[in-house]
Amino acid sequence: MRRLNRKKTLNLMKELDAFPKVPESYVETSASGGTVSLIAFTTIAFLTVMEFMVYRDTWMKYEYEVDKDFTSKLRINIDITVAMRCQYVGADVLDLAETMVASADGLIYEPVIFDLSPQQKEWQRMLQLIQSRLQEEHSLQDVIFKSAFKSASTALPPREDNSLQSPDACRIHGHLYVNKVAGNFHITVGKAIPHPRGHAHLAALVSHESYNFSHRIDHLSFGELIPGIINPLDGTEKIASDHNQMFQYFITVVPTKLHTYKISAETHQFSVTERERVINHAAGSHGVSGIFMKYDISSLMVTVTEEHMPFWQFLVRLCGIIGGIFSTTGILHGFGRFVAEIIFCRFRLGSYRSTSVPLPDGDTSNHLPPITDNSTH
């Protein structure tokens, strides 16, 4: 009884076999089939390797939503060198909500030499080259996001030479916390003085001949400080052509949440436009000499997430490659054999055509002469 049930089960499984086996005696191999098979296997191997490389790679996904966080503070990271002595310049931030948000409490004024050393000039040249490439190839920003915390620091390296020159510039670096509203960070002549109706700078004791707002922005960013991220103004250098010159930077800040396989941080991206002009009240160009960075906070927030192809999707694509190559090469091989057989059949039919035989009256006959037996003559 068990054997009978087992035979029925085996017969049922044989009937469900979707891959029937062909006896080897019925299989005919050919050189053309072997060539096509070799090409198919080579193509499958090449595409499999390429697909595996795609599977190993990751990409950045961008999602946009309204930023609903209005209560937290915005951090501004600053590292700017001005070609004036530290006692002559002052930096502070004003916003639309309050008068003076921050003064020099979170900033450090360090006397330095404005001219860079050879190693620092090479660093600045490479940073400016990267900035130019980022403006042309926007997809490079994804590479920078994925390599954050893994790449080398983008900070200005220390001087390698022991210069005996006295400091002629002031490096203002540090960070400030401001409200998440539009504001104005500026560096101008004199220290800032709080005032109930605004603020002022002690600039009366500084002569106009000593004004020199040539500056170099080694770093400027908003939000959490992430090593390896290059911001649009990093490496910027401006040389003033006049003592009374104003440099303006109009910045739009976009809150950004960055989630990669290495880090998870809340930072800010920004775009910037620049303008500079000479202050000349007689010519109608009014204003105050200095460096002004007017920033505005975008109402949209960007979430950047690093994604990876799932393993099941990789298997599906791999099966599609293998099955598609086999099916396509089989169709092409069958079509090629069909065309070749038609051509060869025409040649064979042409070889069986009879040759023309001349007749006594000058005509020709397309029929062969009858075969006769010599023994009858």
Side-chain angles (χ1 to χ4, degrees):
M1 190 69 178
R2 289 183 178 178
R3 290 182 179 178
L4 184 60
N5 293 333
R6 188 177 298 176
K7 283 186 177 182
K8 289 183 178 180
T9 304
L10 290 176
N11 292 332
L12 179 61
M13 296 302 295
K14 288 181 179 179
E15 292 179 359
L16 295 176
D17 187 4
F19 309 97
K21 309 301 182 293
V22 180
E24 294 184 1
S25 58
Y26 297 163
V27 178
E28 180 183 356
T29 59
S30 62
S32 61
T35 304
V36 172
S37 299
L38 184 60
I39 295 174
F41 289 139
T42 304
T43 306
I44 289 174
F46 175 74
L47 293 180
T48 301
V49 173
M50 297 298 294
E51 189 66 26
F52 181 73
M53 294 176 64
V54 173
Y55 169 73
R56 290 185 57 191
D57 195 14
T58 58
W59 60 87
M60 308 304 292
K61 179 182 179 182
Y62 291 82
E63 296 178 333
Y64 302 89
E65 59 181 319
V66 177
D67 185 16
K68 301 178 181 179
D69 183 12
F70 304 105
T71 59
S72 62
K73 295 288 186 177
L74 175 64
R75 171 170 169 160
I76 305 179
N77 307 295
I78 302 164
D79 190 352
I80 302 176
T81 301
V82 185
M84 293 180 65
R85 297 185 182 275
C86 292
Q87 61 266 28
Y88 296 155
V89 295
D92 62 311
V93 179
L94 300 177
D95 67 5
L96 299 180
E98 300 180 11
T99 306
M100 179 182 291
V101 177
S103 59
D105 297 337
L107 299 177
I108 300 174
Y109 292 76
E110 179 184 351
V112 294
I113 301 173
F114 187 75
D115 292 334
L116 297 176
S117 64
Q119 181 179 353
Q120 291 175 332
K121 288 182 179 179
E122 182 65 20
W123 170 87
Q124 186 186 35
R125 188 188 67 83
M126 291 299 299
L127 193 57
Q128 291 175 350
L129 180 61
I130 294 174
Q131 292 285 16
S132 63
R133 295 297 298 172
L134 283 173
Q135 294 177 3
E136 297 175 0
E137 302 290 342
H138 299 286
S139 59
L140 292 178
Q141 187 65 45
D142 294 349
V143 180
I144 293 178
F145 280 151
K146 290 190 286 187
S147 62
F149 279 132
K150 296 190 299 182
S151 59
S153 175
T154 57
L156 178 68
R159 299 185 70 93
E160 75 279 4
D161 57 344
N162 297 323
S163 178
L164 300 178
Q165 180 183 352
S166 59
D168 59 350
C170 183
R171 179 191 176 198
I172 305 173
H173 59 98
H175 61 271
L176 301 171
Y177 288 94
V178 299
N179 298 318
K180 291 186 68 174
V181 293
N184 178 12
F185 170 76
H186 55 270
I187 302 173
T188 186
V189 179
K191 303 298 181 182
I193 304 174
H195 193 272
R197 296 184 179 180
H199 82 294
H201 289 262
L202 286 174
L205 301 178
V206 183
S207 63
H208 285 77
E209 287 72 17
S210 61
Y211 287 12
N212 185 5
F213 285 101
S214 300
H215 61 280
R216 183 178 60 254
I217 304 175
D218 297 325
H219 180 79
L220 179 70
S221 64
F222 297 83
E224 184 178 347
L225 187 61
I226 303 177
I229 298 296
I230 299 177
N231 297 278
L233 286 176
D234 293 354
T236 301
E237 185 177 70
K238 298 291 183 179
I239 304 299
S241 59
D242 192 273
H243 294 292
N244 296 326
Q245 192 156 350
M246 174 189 287
F247 296 91
Q248 293 177 307
Y249 299 92
F250 301 93
I251 300 173
T252 302
V253 183
V254 181
T256 304
K257 291 183 178 180
L258 183 61
H259 301 288
T260 67
Y261 290 105
K262 297 295 181 180
I263 63 170
S264 180
E266 294 187 5
T267 182
H268 292 72
Q269 302 179 83
F270 65 90
S271 61
V272 59
T273 55
E274 306 174 9
R275 183 189 178 192
E276 58 181 86
R277 59 187 175 92
V278 176
I279 303 300
N280 189 347
H281 298 286
S285 178
H286 304 289
V288 180
S289 303
I291 305 167
F292 297 85
M293 298 183 177
K294 299 181 179 181
Y295 59 89
D296 192 8
I297 311 298
S298 174
S299 59
L300 291 179
M301 181 176 61
V302 181
T303 302
V304 185
T305 308
E306 185 178 6
E307 291 193 345
H308 187 274
M309 182 188 297
F311 183 70
W312 64 266
Q313 188 175 352
F314 169 70
L315 292 180
V316 170
R317 292 167 65 99
L318 199 61
C319 293
I321 289 174
I322 297 174
I325 293 297
F326 269 119
S327 300
T328 304
T329 53
I331 293 173
L332 294 177
H333 182 240
F335 179 75
R337 289 190 62 181
F338 175 73
V339 173
E341 287 179 357
I342 292 178
I343 295 174
F344 290 152
C345 284
R346 297 185 104 184
F347 279 119
R348 289 173 184 173
L349 290 175
S351 64
Y352 284 110
R353 286 181 181 176
S354 59
T355 58
S356 60
V357 179
L359 297 177
D361 55 356
D363 296 333
T364 58
S365 174
N366 292 328
H367 298 283
L368 291 175
I371 301 174
T372 58
D373 192 359
N374 294 332
S375 61
T376 59
H377 295 286

